[in-house]
Amino acid sequence: HVVNEVLSELGVTAPRLFVFNKADRVADRELLEHAVRQYQPQVIVHADTKEGLQPLIDWLVQWFDQRKK
């Protein structure tokens, strides 16, 4: 919440994406997904492998495609 407050105070209105890393270290994936649900848009990743970054890559591809329209 502090980051959002600072960005607001600075007048930043750019789109934001919440990226939650190290998801592979959370044993209960359902609990993790519930905990981050309030942050939108968001992706959950782990940077250990390329596959762990795929949700972020997919989100960015979709976002760029939508901006072209």
Side-chain angles (χ1 to χ4, degrees):
H1 297 290
V2 173
V3 172
N4 285 334
E5 289 175 16
V6 171
L7 291 173
S8 294
E9 288 173 9
L10 295 173
V12 175
T13 58
R16 299 177 199 160
L17 171 64
F18 296 93
V19 179
F20 295 91
N21 191 15
K22 300 189 185 230
D24 56 320
R25 296 193 180 182
V26 178
D28 188 339
R29 178 74 179 203
E30 196 172 307
L31 178 63
L32 172 65
E33 290 175 356
H34 178 74
V36 302
R37 194 170 291 141
Q38 65 182 320
Y39 301 98
Q40 296 295 328
Q42 50 92 345
V43 293
I44 301 171
V45 300
H46 62 90
D48 291 344
T49 66
K50 181 179 178 184
E51 293 79 23
L53 292 175
Q54 197 61 49
L56 176 59
I57 294 166
D58 294 343
W59 192 95
L60 291 171
V61 167
Q62 181 181 9
W63 184 76
F64 280 112
D65 285 348
Q66 289 177 354
R67 293 192 56 127
K68 290 180 189 177
K69 296 178 183 179

